[in-house]
Amino acid sequence: MTSQRTRERLISRLIEQGIANQQVLNVIRNTPRHIFLDEALAHKAYEDTALPIGFSQTLSQPYIVAKMTEILLSAGPLEKVLEIGTGSGYQATILAQLVTEIHTVERIEPLLIKAKEKFRKLRLSNISANLSDGSFGWEKESPYNGIITTAAPQSLPMGLVEQLAPDGILVIPIGGGSSQELTVVRRLGDSLKFDQEVIEKVRFVPLLSGLSRQFS
């Protein structure tokens, strides 16, 4: 169920859907997605679908992970990236193999603890993870060459745009309910002016405020 043949089928589907960045495809091919799921769901790990990870959160569909990562890397080599919404840790794991350093924030403490365990297991030493309200980003570590958001705010958070380095890129789903749009925001130089482009319709969990330390 986690064989190389199963993984190759997933990669073929991603290519069919337009993912062209070979680095992204290789990292997804070689990253064990099944370890980010409960054992009962591990057999579905290499299907191109979102899967539950508890606390009303999901492990994003591989296509969306690949698409957002590919868009982020379109800005060129990235030194420092912020991820809003650590979740299972899978997206951060993909990015950690493609950028110099990644900072990730999660508001649900049990998810963050499990994600950190995965980072240690995979010996990823370039990830810094923090329990934090993602709607505020991680200003202390800014600026970032890239920011990626795995939960959807109702509107563009200007606080995240402000944490971008000059010419930085933000990849973010925006909107409520079923009308979310995957959006790319590119900061223009060191001003707060930016270009904004809608890529496609998507569906993500909402970006919520506050912290959750409950373990059940």
Side-chain angles (χ1 to χ4, degrees):
M1 65 183 177
T2 59
S3 68
Q4 196 62 38
R5 185 171 62 182
T6 305
R7 299 189 193 197
E8 289 300 336
R9 280 202 300 267
L10 172 59
I11 297 303
S12 295
R13 285 196 291 271
L14 296 182
I15 293 170
E16 288 170 5
Q17 293 177 87
I19 304 302
N21 187 307
Q22 286 300 317
Q23 283 185 299
V24 173
L25 291 168
N26 285 336
V27 167
I28 290 177
R29 175 185 285 114
N30 295 319
T31 298
R33 189 171 185 253
H34 60 278
I35 74 168
F36 297 91
L37 293 163
D38 289 339
E39 190 172 339
L41 289 172
H43 66 286
K44 295 186 175 182
Y46 302 99
E47 296 177 8
D48 190 23
T49 185
L51 295 165
I53 57 171
F55 304 92
S56 300
Q57 304 298 300
T58 59
L59 173 60
S60 292
Q61 176 189 3
Y63 166 73
I64 290 295
V65 172
K67 184 69 173 179
M68 293 178 74
T69 304
E70 185 174 63
I71 293 169
L72 197 71
L73 295 178
S74 70
L78 298 178
E79 292 290 319
K80 195 174 187 180
V81 169
L82 171 66
E83 177 194 34
I84 306 295
T86 312
S88 69
Y90 179 70
Q91 174 73 80
T93 294
I94 297 298
L95 286 170
Q97 299 171 77
L98 295 162
V99 305
T100 304
E101 62 181 275
I102 177 164
H103 300 260
T104 181
V105 295
E106 173 57 57
R107 59 177 290 273
I108 301 173
E109 188 172 26
L111 288 181
L112 185 68
I113 290 171
K114 289 177 71 174
K116 285 182 173 180
E117 290 172 356
K118 301 297 188 297
F119 301 153
R120 285 193 291 270
K121 182 175 182 177
L122 295 170
R123 298 181 179 179
L124 298 169
S125 59
N126 61 336
I127 303 177
S128 298
N130 190 42
L131 182 69
S132 177
D133 184 334
S135 56
F136 298 109
W138 194 347
E139 187 175 4
K140 178 184 175 184
E141 299 293 338
S142 66
Y144 304 96
N145 305 112
I147 299 176
I148 191 168
T149 302
T150 60
Q154 292 279 349
S155 57
L156 177 64
M158 284 306 298
L160 295 185
V161 177
E162 291 170 0
Q163 291 178 39
L164 284 172
D167 300 314
I169 182 171
L170 165 63
V171 183
I172 182 171
I174 298 175
S178 59
S179 61
Q180 300 167 4
E181 296 176 325
L182 183 60
T183 304
V184 182
V185 177
R186 293 180 174 85
R187 186 169 180 175
L188 303 177
D190 59 1
S191 72
L192 278 183
K193 294 180 180 179
F194 55 88
D195 283 336
Q196 189 169 334
E197 177 188 2
V198 172
I199 302 299
E200 60 186 77
K201 295 284 187 180
V202 290
R203 179 171 291 192
F204 278 81
V205 296
L207 180 65
L208 301 177
S209 59
L211 302 180
S212 175
R213 298 177 182 270
Q214 295 184 2
F215 283 75
S216 61

